[in-house]
Amino acid sequence: MSYARIGVVGGGAWGTALAQLAARAGRRVVVWEREASAVAAMNGERENTVWLPGVRLEPAIRATGDMAEACAADAVLLAVPARHVRATAARMAESLAPQTPVACCAKGLEDGTGKLMSEVLAETLPGRAVGCLSGPTFAAEAARGAPTAAALAMPEGAAAGALARALESAAFRLDPTDDIVGAEVGGAVKNPVAVACGFAAGRGLGENARADLIARGLAEAARFAVALGGRAETLSGLAGLGDLVLTCSSAQSRNFRFGAALGRGATAKEALAAAGGLVEGRGAARAIARRAAREGVELPICAAVDAAANAGAGPEETLDALFAARPALPGA
């Protein structure tokens, strides 16, 4: 399979960045976007002025509002927020060929069910090869051609290596793996941990506290991944440690900004406004905490973020408590 034509479903910042990366790898790319104004801007002005302004789109990219057109590809990258994956995949099923692999690029668990995105896709796109693309990837940097690396997880025998090579370019590397669960868990857990790190920064607790949270967050992600059938070692790579360090160390992260606002005394509603967009860690913390409880896995950081961001508990009663007792690693 040459993967000459790539479909990207979702024309937000990350979907647009993925389209840029695929086009730079020599692929023809069709991006499905719901907002007609974004489609018009991408095709006319050659810029996604709605979601990723200031980035000139590659000539091989074309936007469409027709889902079937984007799905008529050799492979599809699904790049909508986690909460929209089920409904969007159901629409894709109407026109997606049975042999077309789908890599989900959303990070998180489904709110309500606590299912991984691969589990959601197995239900909505039965019989197809589904996986995920995850890693330390700020959209604006990747779109502008800054060196970027991520993991591409697909089932064994689904040619993850061939698809990874088809999407790679001088500034973009993809490491193939068959551990979909491990890659997904890394991408999901890092967001609540980033909220906690932002909180520590907002409280002025210093870099030692951040490093402590990153190490404990990595242990939580590994423990959760193993409980769901993944491999702990996957969390030491790009989809785990790499993504965790990036999101927990930069104010570019909306999750970090949300946590920092909480640390400065803002309410959850005020912190959401300060973050300036979707805070994936808020919903992820709730879904992860509930799934972890069902699986009998202790994830103190995710539970604390859920309590502070969703359950109305005061941060001083929940997030501050994370620094009162530090379990020994690696079973933190």
Side-chain angles (χ1 to χ4, degrees), residues 52-154:
L52 197 63
V55 176
R56 182 74 178 175
L57 297 182
E58 296 289 334
I61 297 172
R62 187 165 55 80
T64 182
D66 182 355
M67 179 71 78
E69 188 176 359
C71 288
D74 299 319
V76 174
L77 307 178
L78 177 54
V80 298
R83 67 176 185 267
H84 297 312
V85 164
R86 182 178 293 275
T88 305
R91 289 189 60 185
M92 292 169 57
E94 300 172 3
S95 52
L96 190 69
Q99 72 275 11
T100 304
V102 177
C104 186
C105 308
K107 296 176 180 178
L109 275 64
E110 186 176 47
D111 200 10
T113 69
K115 292 181 178 179
L116 298 169
M117 294 296 100
S118 60
E119 293 173 321
V120 173
L121 293 183
E123 293 175 357
T124 52
L125 300 172
R128 293 173 174 85
V130 298
C132 76
L133 190 155
S134 187
T137 50
F138 283 145
E141 291 187 12
R144 292 188 173 95
T148 300
L152 178 65
M154 298 292 290

Coordinates of all heavy atoms in Angstrom, one line a residue, residues 52-154:
L52 N -6.1 27.6 13.0 CA -4.7 27.6 13.0 C -4.2 28.8 12.1 O -3.6 28.6 11.1 CB -4.1 26.3 12.5 CG -2.6 26.0 12.8 CD1 -2.4 25.9 14.3 CD2 -2.2 24.7 12.1
P53 N -4.5 30.0 12.5 CA -4.1 31.2 11.7 C -2.6 31.3 11.7 O -1.8 30.9 12.6 CB -4.7 32.3 12.5 CG -4.9 31.8 13.9 CD -5.1 30.4 13.8
G54 N -2.2 31.9 10.6 CA -0.8 32.2 10.4 C 0.1 31.1 9.8 O 1.3 31.3 9.6
V55 N -0.5 30.0 9.4 CA 0.2 28.9 8.8 C -0.3 28.7 7.4 O -1.5 28.5 7.1 CB 0.0 27.6 9.6 CG1 0.6 26.4 8.9 CG2 0.5 27.7 11.0
R56 N 0.6 28.9 6.4 CA 0.3 28.7 5.0 C 0.2 27.2 4.7 O 1.1 26.5 4.9 CB 1.4 29.4 4.2 CG 1.2 29.3 2.7 CD 0.1 30.3 2.2 NE -0.1 30.3 0.8 CZ -1.0 31.0 0.2 NH1 -1.8 31.8 0.9 NH2 -1.2 31.0 -1.1
L57 N -1.0 26.8 4.1 CA -1.2 25.4 3.9 C -0.4 24.9 2.6 O -0.3 25.7 1.7 CB -2.7 25.2 3.7 CG -3.6 25.5 4.9 CD1 -5.0 25.1 4.5 CD2 -3.1 24.7 6.1
E58 N 0.0 23.7 2.7 CA 0.7 23.1 1.6 C -0.3 22.9 0.4 O -1.5 22.7 0.6 CB 1.2 21.7 2.0 CG 2.2 21.7 3.1 CD 3.6 22.3 2.6 OE1 3.9 22.2 1.4 OE2 4.3 22.8 3.5
P59 N 0.3 23.0 -0.8 CA -0.6 22.9 -2.0 C -1.4 21.6 -2.2 O -2.4 21.6 -2.8 CB 0.4 23.1 -3.2 CG 1.6 23.8 -2.6 CD 1.7 23.3 -1.2
A60 N -0.9 20.5 -1.6 CA -1.5 19.2 -1.7 C -2.7 19.0 -0.8 O -3.3 18.0 -0.8 CB -0.5 18.1 -1.5
I61 N -3.1 20.1 0.0 CA -4.2 20.0 0.9 C -5.4 20.6 0.3 O -5.4 21.7 -0.2 CB -3.8 20.7 2.2 CG1 -2.7 20.0 2.9 CG2 -5.1 20.7 3.2 CD1 -2.1 20.7 4.1
R62 N -6.5 19.9 0.4 CA -7.8 20.4 0.0 C -8.8 20.1 1.1 O -8.9 19.0 1.7 CB -8.3 19.8 -1.3 CG -9.6 20.5 -1.9 CD -9.8 20.1 -3.3 NE -9.8 18.6 -3.5 CZ -10.8 17.9 -3.3 NH1 -12.0 18.4 -2.8 NH2 -10.8 16.6 -3.5
A63 N -9.6 21.1 1.5 CA -10.7 21.0 2.5 C -12.0 20.7 1.9 O -12.3 21.1 0.7 CB -10.7 22.2 3.4
T64 N -12.9 20.0 2.6 CA -14.2 19.7 2.1 C -15.2 19.6 3.3 O -14.8 19.3 4.4 CB -14.2 18.3 1.4 OG1 -15.5 18.1 0.8 CG2 -13.8 17.2 2.3
G65 N -16.4 19.8 3.0 CA -17.5 19.6 4.0 C -18.2 18.2 3.7 O -19.2 17.9 4.4
D66 N -17.7 17.5 2.8 CA -18.2 16.2 2.4 C -17.5 15.0 3.1 O -16.3 14.8 2.7 CB -18.2 16.0 0.9 CG -18.8 14.7 0.4 OD1 -19.2 13.9 1.2 OD2 -18.9 14.6 -0.8
M67 N -18.0 14.4 4.1 CA -17.4 13.3 4.8 C -16.9 12.2 3.9 O -15.8 11.7 4.0 CB -18.3 12.8 5.9 CG -17.7 11.6 6.7 SD -16.4 12.2 7.8 CE -17.3 12.9 9.1
A68 N -17.8 11.8 2.9 CA -17.4 10.7 2.0 C -16.2 11.0 1.2 O -15.4 10.1 0.9 CB -18.6 10.4 1.1
E69 N -16.0 12.3 0.8 CA -14.8 12.7 0.1 C -13.5 12.5 0.9 O -12.5 12.0 0.4 CB -14.9 14.1 -0.4 CG -13.9 14.6 -1.4 CD -14.1 16.0 -1.9 OE1 -15.1 16.6 -1.5 OE2 -13.3 16.5 -2.6
A70 N -13.6 12.8 2.1 CA -12.4 12.7 3.0 C -12.1 11.2 3.3 O -11.0 10.8 3.4 CB -12.6 13.4 4.3
C71 N -13.2 10.4 3.4 CA -13.0 9.0 3.7 C -12.6 8.1 2.5 O -12.2 7.0 2.6 CB -14.3 8.4 4.3 SG -14.6 9.0 5.9
A72 N -12.6 8.7 1.3 CA -12.2 8.0 0.1 C -10.7 8.1 0.0 O -10.2 8.7 -0.9 CB -12.9 8.6 -1.2
A73 N -10.0 7.5 0.9 CA -8.6 7.6 1.0 C -7.9 6.3 1.3 O -8.6 5.3 1.6 CB -8.2 8.6 2.2
D74 N -6.6 6.2 1.3 CA -5.9 5.0 1.6 C -5.8 4.8 3.1 O -5.6 3.7 3.5 CB -4.5 5.0 0.9 CG -4.6 5.1 -0.6 OD1 -5.4 4.5 -1.2 OD2 -3.8 5.9 -1.1
A75 N -5.8 5.9 3.8 CA -5.8 5.8 5.3 C -6.5 7.1 5.8 O -6.4 8.1 5.1 CB -4.4 5.7 5.9
V76 N -7.1 7.0 7.0 CA -7.8 8.2 7.5 C -7.2 8.5 8.9 O -7.1 7.6 9.7 CB -9.3 8.0 7.6 CG1 -10.0 9.1 8.3 CG2 -9.9 7.8 6.2
L77 N -6.9 9.7 9.2 CA -6.6 10.2 10.5 C -7.8 10.9 11.1 O -8.2 11.9 10.6 CB -5.4 11.2 10.4 CG -4.1 10.6 9.6 CD1 -3.0 11.7 9.6 CD2 -3.6 9.4 10.3
L78 N -8.3 10.4 12.2 CA -9.5 11.0 12.8 C -9.0 11.9 13.9 O -8.4 11.5 15.0 CB -10.3 9.8 13.5 CG -11.5 10.2 14.2 CD1 -12.5 11.1 13.4 CD2 -12.3 9.0 14.7
A79 N -9.2 13.2 13.7 CA -8.7 14.3 14.6 C -9.7 15.2 15.1 O -9.7 16.4 15.0 CB -7.6 15.1 13.8
V80 N -10.8 14.6 15.7 CA -11.8 15.4 16.4 C -11.6 15.2 17.9 O -11.0 14.2 18.3 CB -13.2 15.0 16.0 CG1 -13.4 15.3 14.5 CG2 -13.5 13.6 16.3
P81 N -12.1 16.1 18.8 CA -12.0 15.9 20.2 C -12.6 14.5 20.6 O -13.5 14.0 20.0 CB -12.7 17.1 20.8 CG -12.7 18.1 19.8 CD -12.7 17.4 18.4
A82 N -12.1 14.0 21.7 CA -12.5 12.7 22.2 C -14.1 12.6 22.3 O -14.7 11.6 22.0 CB -11.8 12.3 23.5
R83 N -14.7 13.7 22.8 CA -16.1 13.6 23.0 C -16.9 13.5 21.8 O -18.1 13.2 21.8 CB -16.6 14.8 23.9 CG -16.5 16.2 23.1 CD -17.0 17.3 24.0 NE -17.0 18.6 23.4 CZ -16.1 19.5 23.4 NH1 -15.0 19.2 24.1 NH2 -16.2 20.6 22.8
H84 N -16.3 13.8 20.6 CA -17.0 13.7 19.3 C -16.6 12.5 18.5 O -17.1 12.3 17.4 CB -16.7 15.0 18.5 CG -17.2 16.2 19.1 ND1 -18.5 16.4 19.6 CD2 -16.6 17.4 19.3 CE1 -18.6 17.6 20.1 NE2 -17.5 18.3 19.9
V85 N -15.8 11.6 19.0 CA -15.3 10.5 18.2 C -16.4 9.5 17.9 O -16.5 9.1 16.7 CB -14.1 9.8 19.0 CG1 -13.8 8.4 18.4 CG2 -12.8 10.6 18.9
R86 N -17.2 9.2 18.8 CA -18.2 8.2 18.5 C -19.2 8.6 17.4 O -19.4 7.9 16.4 CB -19.0 7.8 19.8 CG -20.1 6.7 19.5 CD -20.8 6.3 20.8 NE -20.0 5.7 21.8 CZ -19.7 4.4 21.8 NH1 -20.2 3.6 20.8 NH2 -18.9 3.8 22.7
A87 N -19.7 9.8 17.5 CA -20.7 10.3 16.5 C -20.0 10.5 15.2 O -20.6 10.2 14.1 CB -21.3 11.7 17.0
T88 N -18.7 11.0 15.2 CA -18.0 11.3 13.9 C -17.7 9.9 13.2 O -17.9 9.8 12.0 CB -16.8 12.1 14.2 OG1 -17.1 13.3 14.8 CG2 -16.1 12.4 12.8
A89 N -17.3 8.9 14.0 CA -17.0 7.6 13.4 C -18.2 7.0 12.9 O -18.1 6.3 11.8 CB -16.3 6.7 14.5
A90 N -19.4 7.2 13.5 CA -20.6 6.6 13.0 C -20.9 7.2 11.6 O -21.4 6.5 10.7 CB -21.7 6.9 13.9
R91 N -20.6 8.5 11.4 CA -20.8 9.1 10.1 C -19.8 8.6 9.1 O -20.1 8.3 7.9 CB -20.6 10.6 10.2 CG -21.8 11.3 10.9 CD -21.6 12.9 10.7 NE -21.6 13.3 9.3 CZ -21.4 14.5 8.9 NH1 -21.2 15.5 9.8 NH2 -21.5 14.8 7.6
M92 N -18.6 8.3 9.5 CA -17.5 7.8 8.7 C -17.9 6.4 8.2 O -17.6 6.0 7.0 CB -16.2 7.7 9.4 CG -15.6 9.1 9.7 SD -14.2 8.9 10.8 CE -13.1 7.8 9.9
A93 N -18.6 5.6 9.0 CA -18.9 4.2 8.7 C -19.7 4.1 7.4 O -19.7 3.1 6.7 CB -19.6 3.6 9.8
E94 N -20.5 5.2 7.1 CA -21.4 5.1 6.0 C -20.6 5.1 4.6 O -21.1 4.7 3.6 CB -22.3 6.4 6.0 CG -23.2 6.4 7.2 CD -24.0 7.7 7.4 OE1 -23.8 8.5 6.4 OE2 -24.7 7.9 8.3
S95 N -19.3 5.6 4.7 CA -18.6 5.8 3.4 C -17.2 5.2 3.4 O -16.5 5.2 2.4 CB -18.6 7.2 3.0 OG -18.1 8.0 4.0
L96 N -16.8 4.7 4.6 CA -15.4 4.3 4.7 C -15.3 2.8 4.2 O -16.0 1.9 4.6 CB -14.9 4.3 6.1 CG -13.5 4.1 6.5 CD1 -12.6 5.3 6.0 CD2 -13.3 3.9 8.0
A97 N -14.3 2.6 3.3 CA -14.1 1.2 2.8 C -13.6 0.3 3.9 O -12.9 0.7 4.8 CB -13.1 1.3 1.6
P98 N -14.0 -1.0 3.8 CA -13.6 -1.9 4.9 C -12.1 -2.1 5.1 O -11.7 -2.3 6.2 CB -14.2 -3.2 4.4 CG -15.3 -2.8 3.5 CD -14.9 -1.6 2.8
Q99 N -11.3 -1.9 4.0 CA -9.9 -2.1 4.1 C -9.1 -0.8 4.6 O -7.9 -0.9 4.7 CB -9.3 -2.6 2.8 CG -9.3 -1.5 1.7 CD -10.6 -1.4 0.9 OE1 -11.6 -2.0 1.3 NE2 -10.5 -0.7 -0.2
T100 N -9.8 0.3 4.7 CA -9.1 1.5 5.0 C -8.8 1.6 6.5 O -9.7 1.6 7.4 CB -10.0 2.7 4.7 OG1 -10.3 2.6 3.3 CG2 -9.2 4.0 4.9
P101 N -7.5 1.7 6.9 CA -7.1 1.8 8.3 C -7.5 3.2 8.8 O -7.4 4.2 8.1 CB -5.6 1.6 8.3 CG -5.2 1.9 7.0 CD -6.3 1.6 6.0
V102 N -7.8 3.3 10.1 CA -8.1 4.6 10.8 C -7.2 4.7 12.0 O -7.2 3.9 12.9 CB -9.6 4.6 11.2 CG1 -9.9 5.9 11.9 CG2 -10.5 4.5 10.0
A103 N -6.5 5.8 12.1 CA -5.7 6.2 13.2 C -6.4 7.3 14.0 O -6.5 8.4 13.4 CB -4.3 6.5 12.9
C104 N -6.8 7.1 15.2 CA -7.5 8.1 16.0 C -6.4 9.0 16.6 O -5.5 8.5 17.3 CB -8.4 7.5 17.1 SG -9.4 8.7 18.0
C105 N -6.6 10.3 16.5 CA -5.6 11.2 17.0 C -6.1 12.0 18.2 O -5.5 13.0 18.6 CB -5.2 12.2 15.8 SG -4.6 11.3 14.4
A106 N -7.3 11.6 18.7 CA -7.8 12.3 19.9 C -7.2 11.6 21.1 O -6.9 10.4 21.1 CB -9.4 12.1 19.9
K107 N -7.1 12.4 22.2 CA -6.5 11.9 23.4 C -7.5 12.0 24.5 O -8.1 13.0 24.8 CB -5.3 12.7 23.8 CG -4.2 12.6 22.8 CD -3.0 13.5 23.1 CE -1.9 13.3 22.0 NZ -0.7 14.2 22.3
G108 N -7.8 10.8 25.1 CA -8.8 10.8 26.2 C -9.6 9.5 26.2 O -9.5 8.7 25.3
L109 N -10.4 9.4 27.2 CA -11.4 8.3 27.3 C -12.8 8.9 27.1 O -13.0 10.1 27.3 CB -11.4 7.6 28.7 CG -10.3 6.5 28.8 CD1 -8.9 7.0 28.7 CD2 -10.5 5.8 30.2
E110 N -13.7 8.0 26.7 CA -15.1 8.5 26.4 C -15.8 8.8 27.7 O -15.9 7.9 28.6 CB -15.9 7.5 25.6 CG -17.2 8.0 25.2 CD -18.0 7.0 24.3 OE1 -18.0 5.8 24.7 OE2 -18.5 7.4 23.3
D111 N -16.3 10.0 27.9 CA -17.0 10.4 29.1 C -18.3 9.6 29.2 O -19.0 9.4 28.2 CB -17.3 11.9 29.1 CG -17.5 12.4 30.5 OD1 -17.3 11.7 31.5 OD2 -18.0 13.6 30.6
G112 N -18.6 9.1 30.3 CA -19.8 8.3 30.5 C -19.5 6.8 30.5 O -19.8 6.1 31.4
T113 N -18.8 6.3 29.5 CA -18.5 4.9 29.4 C -17.1 4.6 29.9 O -16.8 3.4 30.3 CB -18.6 4.4 27.9 OG1 -17.5 5.0 27.1 CG2 -19.9 4.7 27.3
G114 N -16.2 5.6 29.8 CA -14.8 5.3 30.2 C -14.0 4.5 29.2 O -12.9 4.0 29.5
K115 N -14.5 4.3 28.0 CA -13.9 3.5 27.0 C -12.7 4.2 26.3 O -12.8 5.5 26.1 CB -14.9 3.0 26.0 CG -15.9 2.0 26.6 CD -16.9 1.5 25.5 CE -17.8 0.5 26.1 NZ -18.8 0.0 25.1
L116 N -11.7 3.5 26.0 CA -10.6 4.0 25.1 C -11.2 4.3 23.7 O -12.2 3.8 23.3 CB -9.5 3.0 25.0 CG -8.8 2.6 26.3 CD1 -7.9 1.4 26.0 CD2 -8.0 3.8 26.9
M117 N -10.5 5.2 23.0 CA -11.0 5.6 21.7 C -11.0 4.4 20.8 O -11.8 4.2 19.9 CB -10.1 6.7 21.1 CG -10.2 8.0 21.8 SD -11.9 8.8 21.7 CE -12.5 8.3 23.4
S118 N -10.0 3.5 20.9 CA -10.0 2.3 20.1 C -11.2 1.4 20.4 O -11.7 0.7 19.5 CB -8.6 1.5 20.3 OG -8.5 1.1 21.7
E119 N -11.6 1.4 21.6 CA -12.8 0.6 22.0 C -14.1 1.2 21.4 O -15.0 0.5 20.9 CB -12.9 0.5 23.5 CG -11.8 -0.3 24.2 CD -11.9 -0.3 25.7 OE1 -12.2 0.8 26.2 OE2 -11.6 -1.3 26.3
V120 N -14.1 2.5 21.4 CA -15.2 3.2 20.7 C -15.2 2.9 19.2 O -16.3 2.6 18.6 CB -15.1 4.7 20.9 CG1 -16.2 5.5 20.1 CG2 -15.3 5.0 22.4
L121 N -14.1 3.0 18.6 CA -14.0 2.7 17.1 C -14.3 1.3 16.8 O -14.8 1.0 15.7 CB -12.6 3.1 16.6 CG -12.3 4.6 16.7 CD1 -10.9 4.9 16.0 CD2 -13.3 5.4 15.9
A122 N -13.9 0.3 17.7 CA -14.2 -1.1 17.4 C -15.7 -1.3 17.4 O -16.2 -2.2 16.7 CB -13.6 -1.9 18.5
E123 N -16.5 -0.5 18.1 CA -17.9 -0.6 18.1 C -18.6 0.2 16.9 O -19.5 -0.3 16.3 CB -18.5 0.0 19.4 CG -18.1 -0.8 20.6 CD -18.6 -0.1 21.9 OE1 -19.2 1.0 21.8 OE2 -18.4 -0.7 23.0
T124 N -18.0 1.3 16.5 CA -18.6 2.1 15.4 C -18.0 1.8 14.1 O -18.7 2.0 13.1 CB -18.3 3.6 15.7 OG1 -16.9 3.8 16.0 CG2 -19.1 4.1 16.9
L125 N -16.8 1.2 14.0 CA -16.2 0.8 12.7 C -15.8 -0.6 12.8 O -14.6 -1.0 12.7 CB -15.0 1.7 12.4 CG -15.2 3.2 12.3 CD1 -13.9 4.0 12.2 CD2 -16.1 3.5 11.1
P126 N -16.7 -1.6 13.0 CA -16.3 -3.0 13.2 C -15.6 -3.6 12.0 O -16.0 -3.3 10.9 CB -17.7 -3.6 13.5 CG -18.7 -2.7 12.9 CD -18.1 -1.4 13.0
G127 N -14.6 -4.4 12.3 CA -13.9 -5.1 11.3 C -12.8 -4.4 10.6 O -12.1 -4.9 9.7
R128 N -12.6 -3.1 11.0 CA -11.6 -2.3 10.4 C -10.3 -2.2 11.3 O -10.4 -2.4 12.5 CB -12.1 -0.9 10.1 CG -13.2 -0.8 9.0 CD -13.7 0.6 8.9 NE -14.7 0.7 7.8 CZ -16.0 0.4 7.9 NH1 -16.5 -0.1 9.0 NH2 -16.8 0.5 6.8
A129 N -9.2 -2.0 10.7 CA -8.0 -1.8 11.4 C -8.0 -0.4 12.0 O -7.9 0.6 11.3 CB -6.7 -2.0 10.5
V130 N -8.0 -0.3 13.3 CA -8.1 1.0 14.0 C -6.9 1.1 15.0 O -6.6 0.1 15.6 CB -9.4 1.3 14.7 CG1 -10.5 1.3 13.7 CG2 -9.7 0.2 15.8
G131 N -6.3 2.2 15.1 CA -5.2 2.5 16.0 C -5.2 3.9 16.5 O -6.2 4.6 16.5
C132 N -4.1 4.4 16.9 CA -4.0 5.8 17.3 C -2.6 6.4 17.0 O -1.6 5.7 16.8 CB -4.2 5.9 18.8 SG -2.9 5.4 19.9
L133 N -2.6 7.7 16.8 CA -1.4 8.5 16.7 C -1.3 9.4 17.9 O -2.3 10.2 18.1 CB -1.5 9.3 15.4 CG -0.2 9.9 14.9 CD1 -0.2 10.2 13.4 CD2 0.0 11.3 15.6
S134 N -0.3 9.3 18.7 CA -0.2 10.0 19.9 C 1.3 10.4 20.2 O 2.2 9.7 19.8 CB -0.7 9.2 21.1 OG -0.8 9.9 22.2
G135 N 1.5 11.5 20.9 CA 2.8 11.8 21.3 C 2.9 13.3 21.6 O 1.9 14.0 21.6
P136 N 4.1 13.8 21.8 CA 4.4 15.2 22.2 C 4.3 16.2 21.0 O 5.3 16.4 20.3 CB 5.8 15.2 22.8 CG 6.4 14.1 22.1 CD 5.4 13.0 21.8
T137 N 3.1 16.7 20.7 CA 2.8 17.4 19.5 C 2.0 18.6 19.7 O 0.8 18.5 19.6 CB 2.1 16.4 18.5 OG1 1.0 15.8 19.1 CG2 3.0 15.3 18.0
F138 N 2.6 19.8 19.9 CA 1.9 21.0 19.8 C 1.6 21.3 18.4 O 2.5 21.3 17.5 CB 2.7 22.1 20.5 CG 2.7 22.1 22.0 CD1 3.8 22.6 22.7 CD2 1.5 21.7 22.7 CE1 3.8 22.6 24.1 CE2 1.5 21.7 24.1 CZ 2.7 22.1 24.8
A139 N 0.3 21.5 18.0 CA -0.1 21.6 16.7 C 0.6 22.7 15.9 O 1.1 22.5 14.8 CB -1.6 21.9 16.6
A140 N 0.7 23.9 16.5 CA 1.3 25.1 15.8 C 2.8 24.8 15.4 O 3.2 25.1 14.3 CB 1.2 26.3 16.6
E141 N 3.5 24.2 16.3 CA 4.9 23.9 16.0 C 5.0 22.8 14.9 O 5.8 23.0 14.0 CB 5.6 23.3 17.3 CG 5.8 24.4 18.4 CD 6.6 23.9 19.5 OE1 7.3 22.8 19.4 OE2 6.7 24.6 20.6
A142 N 4.2 21.8 15.0 CA 4.3 20.8 14.0 C 3.9 21.3 12.6 O 4.5 21.0 11.6 CB 3.4 19.6 14.3
A143 N 2.9 22.2 12.6 CA 2.4 22.7 11.3 C 3.4 23.6 10.7 O 3.5 23.7 9.4 CB 1.1 23.5 11.5
R144 N 4.2 24.3 11.5 CA 5.2 25.2 10.9 C 6.5 24.5 10.5 O 7.5 25.1 10.1 CB 5.5 26.3 11.9 CG 4.3 27.3 12.1 CD 4.7 28.5 13.0 NE 3.6 29.4 13.0 CZ 2.7 29.5 13.9 NH1 2.7 28.6 14.9 NH2 1.7 30.4 13.9
G145 N 6.6 23.2 10.8 CA 7.8 22.4 10.4 C 8.8 22.3 11.4 O 9.9 21.8 11.1
A146 N 8.5 22.5 12.7 CA 9.5 22.3 13.8 C 9.6 20.8 13.9 O 8.7 20.0 13.7 CB 9.0 22.9 15.1
P147 N 10.8 20.3 14.3 CA 11.0 18.9 14.5 C 10.0 18.3 15.5 O 9.9 18.8 16.6 CB 12.5 18.8 15.1 CG 13.1 20.0 14.6 CD 12.1 21.1 14.6
T148 N 9.4 17.2 15.0 CA 8.3 16.6 15.8 C 8.3 15.1 15.7 O 8.6 14.6 14.6 CB 6.9 17.1 15.3 OG1 6.8 18.6 15.4 CG2 5.8 16.5 16.1
A149 N 8.0 14.4 16.7 CA 8.0 12.9 16.7 C 6.8 12.5 17.5 O 6.4 13.1 18.5 CB 9.3 12.3 17.3
A150 N 6.2 11.4 17.1 CA 5.1 10.8 17.7 C 5.1 9.3 17.5 O 6.0 8.7 16.9 CB 3.8 11.4 17.2
A151 N 4.1 8.6 18.2 CA 4.0 7.2 18.0 C 2.7 6.8 17.2 O 1.7 7.5 17.4 CB 3.9 6.5 19.4
L152 N 2.8 5.8 16.3 CA 1.7 5.4 15.6 C 1.4 3.9 16.0 O 2.2 3.0 15.7 CB 2.0 5.4 14.1 CG 0.8 4.9 13.2 CD1 -0.4 5.8 13.3 CD2 1.3 4.9 11.7
A153 N 0.3 3.7 16.7 CA 0.0 2.4 17.2 C -1.2 1.8 16.3 O -2.2 2.4 16.2 CB -0.5 2.5 18.6
M154 N -0.9 0.6 15.7 CA -1.9 -0.1 14.9 C -1.8 -1.6 15.3 O -0.8 -2.0 15.8 CB -1.6 0.1 13.4 CG -1.7 1.6 13.0 SD -3.4 2.2 13.0 CE -4.2 1.3 11.7

